Amino acid sequence: MSIERSIWQRLFHGRTFSFCEVSSPGLNATAGQPGGWESASDTPWFELVPPDGRYPQGCVLLEGRLARRGTDFTARLRVDAGRGFAESPAYELPVSAKGSLLEVIRLPKGVRALRFEPMQSRGDFELTALRATELGWPARIGYMAYRVATMLMDRPGAQLRQTGLTPWLALRDLRQAYRLAGRLRHYSPNLSYVEWRRQFDVLTTADRARIRLAMSMFRTRPELHVVVLTRNGDPAPLQRTLKSLADQLYAPIRVSVLEQPDSAAGCPVLPPTLTSGAELVPADQAERFLTEINGYLATAPLDRFLAFVRAGDTLSPHALYWLAAELQGEGGAALLYTDDDAIGHDGERTAPRFKPDWSPEHLRSSNYIGTFALLRGREILAAGGVDSGDLPSDGYGLLLRVGAGLSGQSVRHVPWVLYHRAWAATEEAARQLDAAEARALADHLARQAVRAEVVQTLPGCRQVRYALPSPPPRVCIIIPTRDKPALLRRCVESVLARTTYLRYEILVVDNQSVEPEALAYLDALRSEPRVRILRYDLPFNFSAINNHAAAAAGGDVLCLLNNDTEVISTDWLETMLGQLVQEGVGAVGAKLLYPDGRVQHGGDAVGPGGCADHFHSMLAEDATGYCNRAQVAQELSAVTAACLLTWKDLYLRLDGLDEVHLKVAFNDVDYCLRVWAAGYRVIWTPHAKLYHHESATRGHDSSTDKLKRTRAEADYVRRRWPERMLHDPYYNPNLSYERPDFSLSQAPRVSKPWDKW
């Protein structure tokens, strides 16, 4: 090698290495798709073997293209430098939104093997052009500085501050700045909760000082009464709870310890020496105590709030301050709750639950709020006061009663982990709690005059099977189609054969079919009494086609249904209609699965992912998802029009889908947001299931024209709904807005109330 070539390699680019890829078990190439792979393993990997046996050394640029569909997009490069993969470094590999992998890595000496992990879940992916190039120091600095500078110029200042990426850091420690800039790429590796807390969840001495200053400016100090529910005589868990209440930065607080009636076993609740200023109430005095609480709430000159806490659970020192800060605004709030996590036997905090904002249907399906919530006294009294029947369900019955009379403006969700669960239910205790919650829900529905059956599905989760009115509404199922007769036949015949609901008609809208087989099938359908054929002889416009059909539809309810769907659950229409006929519901969506059983649509997030994207995509059908959310009915910002139920009069009043700006994509998202703006709720239910052979009619939007159109339609939705893009109330600002996969955010979108001080 010439001296000039050697110097060039040291300073800039050296050898480039391509690899022979040896795949892991369960990883199979996709037929007919170059670079395509399907993984049945939670950790697919490739051994990267250079053809000449020589591995790259020193600083390298690893580059390629990687597009994935799964549930965990963390990509890693593992290195065996003589001690095996488990004992050697693992490098996390962020990927851009367009699938570009371009990462500077400093390899250790003596590389013996390389292993590339494209993701950390089952799914499918495309991997092309993977190679490594040895870098000289000027090239290494250039690549790193370019990424850092790009992020500093492109990303909002608040996001940069949260991440810790600053120009000064780039000058002082370029390697650390490069690492932080990588976290801001679209598909950055998932943060662990330990690392997330280390970065964002630290209450400093300066924070405490600002909190005290902020409290001195409070215009009101509501009285808080915390009732600690204890199930046994062990003093240690109770002592931890009482200490956390004594350590609160906010006052005044009144604390009572109430022995649960079903746990009285002759054990003292608390040794007399551990009173900690708390009022002790034995189980046999519970009725008297609750009567006194109702009287206490009724005679308050100012707002008083009540909260239940389980013995053993604890609160962060600033928890009650943060809740009180939420009460300083105009109008106040009647119900407040926070995010929470669990504390293990080793004291480590795990299993965070980053919750959605107020979601009444979600609360019926599962007590997502949990035991700890602040309830205002006058709303408690309006709901009948506290009674002993609320205790077996740890206050869930009271939460339902109070929540039934509230609007969303009266509820505050503090999106921060301020409550820490330590109480661990035995199997029998969990069963009893589930039964108590089911009884509380059934009583609540009866009081609301809602005819329904409550069915336990998972631990802590329920399906509310709502009864339909008599006579039930008539549904018009609108199915747009063009050629592809096999798709249409499968869809229509699955509806006809598997739908137990009887009051429906199918309106097939033919958009210029020309295939003889398709025309023959459409002619054959004319003899089916439950099917009508409607022609639409203009260029393809999904919104206009559905609007054209809606104007011609009979009945009370429209069901927008893609021709590439197939019915699975026979009671799909009863289930969706049961939700639609509930008070204030304007649209309902179903759970859609890929043909292999993985989730295609679990409802839509609006904002995360850049515009709108599906929750729980690629999850197994029976997987519970994040905090059981893949298995419970809930309010969401939007659902897909591949299977959407809505009232016909509402659809017409809102002018249907936007056929001017959103001819193909995101028209369902826009419609659902207009439903919300009109004061109605959008519900997604996992109990109505269909297969979705996604985009089989039109093909995937991969051509230049289609991609350009999709970007233009996404831009329009972003401009029309800017506030929802910044905050989806049914997601959480602590979770990633790069993609709606419930991974922890590298830059949480939470404003702490003391920061302005």
Side-chain angles (χ1 to χ4, degrees):
M1 180 184 296
S2 67
I3 295 176
E4 292 83 359
R5 176 65 175 166
S6 177
I7 293 173
W8 178 265
Q9 287 187 348
R10 288 197 186 113
L11 292 179
F12 297 100
H13 293 87
R15 284 186 37 166
T16 295
F17 296 77
S18 297
F19 300 100
C20 300
E21 298 164 348
V22 181
S23 61
S24 62
L27 189 55
N28 301 304
T30 305
Q33 183 179 347
W37 297 85
E38 295 180 357
S39 174
S41 165
D42 289 331
T43 310
W45 51 262
F46 295 100
E47 291 277 3
L48 303 182
V49 182
D52 62 359
R54 177 178 179 267
Y55 286 92
Q57 304 292 325
C59 192
V60 301
L61 179 69
L62 185 68
E63 55 187 319
R65 298 200 64 80
L66 180 61
R68 295 161 288 183
R69 294 197 304 174
T71 57
D72 187 337
F73 296 100
T74 301
R76 293 190 180 99
L77 179 70
R78 296 191 182 275
V79 180
D80 178 3
R83 296 181 297 173
F85 289 114
E87 300 296 326
S88 296
Y91 301 91
E92 295 185 337
L93 305 173
V95 178
S96 75
K98 296 181 179 179
S100 172
L101 168 61
L102 193 73
E103 195 66 16
V104 175
I105 296 170
R106 182 177 291 279
L107 295 173
K109 294 182 179 179
V111 175
R112 296 186 180 182
L114 295 173
R115 178 174 288 179
F116 176 72
E117 298 174 357
M119 58 201 300
Q120 305 295 313
S121 66
R122 301 185 182 194
D124 51 70
F125 60 91
E126 296 176 24
L127 175 64
T128 56
L130 187 64
R131 61 183 184 176
T133 302
E134 292 177 340
L135 297 178
W137 67 265
R140 170 175 58 85
I141 291 174
Y143 279 113
M144 295 170 69
Y146 179 78
R147 175 177 293 176
V148 171
T150 299
M151 292 298 178
L152 287 172
M153 290 187 294
D154 290 350
R155 296 301 173 122
Q159 189 178 43
L160 295 173
R161 287 191 296 273
Q162 283 279 55
T163 310
L165 182 60
T166 64
W168 170 244
L169 178 65
L171 294 173
R172 182 170 52 86
D173 189 346
L174 180 59
R175 185 178 298 179
Q176 172 67 358
Y178 179 75
R179 187 179 70 85
L180 296 179
R183 290 183 173 182
L184 297 178
R185 299 199 97 191
H186 192 85
Y187 292 109
S188 59
N190 292 350
L191 270 180
S192 70
Y193 187 46
V194 171
E195 175 65 15
W196 187 90
R197 284 178 35 241
R198 187 189 67 78
Q199 284 188 238
F200 306 116
D201 192 17
V202 177
L203 190 67
T204 66
T205 301
D207 290 332
R208 290 172 179 267
R210 286 196 292 269
I211 286 172
R212 292 188 180 95
L213 176 61
M215 285 194 297
S216 70
M217 305 294 182
F218 278 2
R219 62 179 182 83
T220 180
R221 285 195 175 231
E223 295 183 28
L224 310 181
H225 187 174
V226 179
V227 178
V228 183
L229 303 173
T230 185
R231 283 181 163 79
N232 57 56
D234 183 2
L238 187 54
Q239 187 176 19
R240 288 194 297 270
T241 302
L242 294 176
K243 183 178 186 308
S244 80
L245 291 170
D247 290 343
Q248 290 298 303
L249 297 174
Y250 178 82
I253 308 171
R254 176 185 171 187
V255 179
S256 302
V257 178
L258 177 61
E259 187 177 22
Q260 294 258 39
D262 61 351
S263 65
C267 303
V269 174
L270 190 69
T273 56
L274 296 177
T275 58
S276 302
E279 175 188 8
L280 307 181
V281 183
D284 59 4
Q285 297 181 28
E287 291 283 0
R288 173 195 60 79
F289 171 70
L290 296 178
T291 300
E292 290 177 356
I293 283 183
N294 290 326
Y296 165 78
L297 297 174
T299 58
L302 300 173
D303 281 342
R304 286 176 174 166
F305 287 79
L306 179 70
F308 290 114
V309 173
R310 286 171 173 161
D313 296 357
T314 56
L315 282 76
S316 297
H318 55 311
L320 297 183
Y321 151 75
W322 200 326
L323 292 169
E326 289 289 325
L327 296 170
Q328 302 306 307
E330 293 298 324
L335 191 163
L336 302 94
Y337 63 97
T338 77
D339 296 337
D340 60 39
D341 62 12
I343 299 181
H345 295 297
D346 58 357
E348 186 64 39
R349 287 170 52 187
T350 61
R353 299 194 302 185
F354 290 105
K355 305 170 186 176
D357 290 350
W358 178 234
S359 182
E361 190 60 35
H362 194 169
L363 186 62
R364 289 180 177 182
S365 301
S366 175
N367 185 6
Y368 78 93
I369 290 178
T371 302
F372 178 66
L374 278 187
L375 299 170
R376 190 162 58 186
R378 60 175 179 262
E379 278 75 17
I380 292 175
L381 296 174
V386 191
D387 62 51
S388 57
D390 297 321
L391 301 180
S393 66
D394 287 358
Y396 177 59
L398 179 63
L399 194 58
L400 289 169
R401 292 205 311 277
V402 172
L406 300 180
S407 65
Q409 291 75 24
S410 300
V411 182
R412 299 281 193 279
H413 165 217
V414 173
W416 205 254
V417 176
L418 299 174
Y419 187 73
H420 315 291
R421 313 180 311 273
W423 178 74
T426 63
E427 185 175 336
E428 176 61 20
R431 187 191 65 77
Q432 291 179 358
L433 182 60
D434 276 351
E437 288 188 347
R439 288 194 301 271
L441 177 58
D443 292 344
H444 162 72
L445 294 171
R447 281 191 302 271
Q448 298 296 113
V450 175
R451 295 187 301 119
E453 178 188 6
V454 177
V455 179
Q456 194 79 30
T457 55
L458 299 169
C461 300
R462 296 162 290 278
Q463 178 188 2
V464 182
R465 292 180 177 169
Y466 294 105
L468 296 177
S470 182
R474 184 165 180 80
V475 181
C476 180
I477 303 174
I478 298 172
I479 306 177
T481 192
R482 179 174 182 172
D483 294 323
K484 305 289 185 180
L487 280 179
L488 181 62
R489 180 180 290 108
R490 178 170 52 201
C491 176
V492 170
E493 293 182 4
S494 75
V495 173
L496 294 173
R498 300 176 193 164
T499 302
T500 53
Y501 191 76
L502 299 178
R503 288 179 56 82
Y504 73 89
E505 70 165 350
I506 297 175
L507 185 55
V508 176
V509 192
D510 176 32
N511 180 212
Q512 300 179 330
S513 292
V514 295
E515 293 179 3
E517 187 180 349
L519 296 174
Y521 181 63
L522 290 170
D523 284 339
L525 282 177
R526 297 180 194 278
S527 63
E528 167 58 54
R530 291 171 292 180
V531 178
R532 282 196 292 144
I533 308 298
L534 184 67
R535 291 282 297 179
Y536 182 81
D537 288 322
L538 295 173
F540 177 78
N541 180 325
F542 183 80
S543 296
I545 291 170
N546 281 282
N547 292 346
H548 177 65
D556 314 294
V557 173
L558 302 178
C559 175
L560 309 188
L561 189 67
N562 276 19
N563 68 338
D564 56 358
T565 57
E566 179 183 356
V567 172
I568 299 173
S569 50
T570 58
D571 62 348
W572 68 288
L573 266 182
E574 291 97 330
T575 299
M576 297 178 75
L577 279 170
Q579 292 286 354
L580 189 66
V581 299
Q582 299 310 303
E583 182 179 359
V585 176
V588 179
K591 186 173 189 176
L592 304 182
L593 307 176
Y594 288 111
D596 65 3
R598 290 178 293 178
V599 175
Q600 186 266 338
H601 171 260
D604 285 345
V606 176
C611 181
D613 209 343
H614 297 333
F615 281 130
H616 292 124
S617 180
M618 304 304 291
L619 205 66
E621 176 186 355
D622 58 353
T624 58
Y626 185 78
C627 295
N628 295 326
R629 290 186 63 177
Q631 298 292 348
V632 296
Q634 60 204 270
E635 282 85 358
L636 290 179
S637 289
V639 293
T640 179
C643 181
L644 182 151
L645 235 63
T646 188
W647 295 106
K648 179 183 175 181
D649 62 346
L650 177 62
Y651 186 91
L652 296 178
R653 180 155 39 99
L654 296 179
D655 295 324
L657 304 183
D658 187 337
E659 58 189 74
V660 176
H661 305 97
L662 302 171
K663 298 178 181 180
V664 179
F666 303 113
N667 37 50
D668 43 10
V669 173
D670 173 72
Y671 176 73
C672 287
L673 293 177
R674 284 185 282 126
V675 167
W676 275 109
Y680 295 86
R681 296 182 288 150
V682 175
I683 304 290
W684 174 79
T685 174
H687 308 298
K689 297 179 185 178
L690 298 88
Y691 289 120
H692 187 196
H693 308 269
E694 185 184 21
S695 300
T697 305
R698 296 186 295 109
H700 293 284
D701 286 357
S702 56
S703 70
T704 301
D705 289 343
K706 289 180 178 179
L707 290 173
K708 183 178 179 181
R709 186 208 65 232
T710 300
R711 283 196 295 269
E713 291 176 333
D715 287 342
Y716 174 79
V717 174
R718 283 191 284 264
R719 291 194 303 271
R720 181 165 186 170
W721 304 101
E723 292 184 4
R724 189 59 70 107
M725 292 294 149
L726 295 175
H727 175 63
D728 184 331
Y730 304 104
Y731 196 51
N732 188 290
N734 294 292
L735 301 176
S736 172
Y737 263 66
E738 302 301 325
R739 54 191 191 270
D741 61 355
F742 299 98
S743 59
L744 294 172
S745 175
Q746 306 281 358
R749 301 183 175 197
V750 178
S751 298
K752 299 176 181 178
W754 63 88
D755 279 347
K756 62 182 178 181
W757 301 99

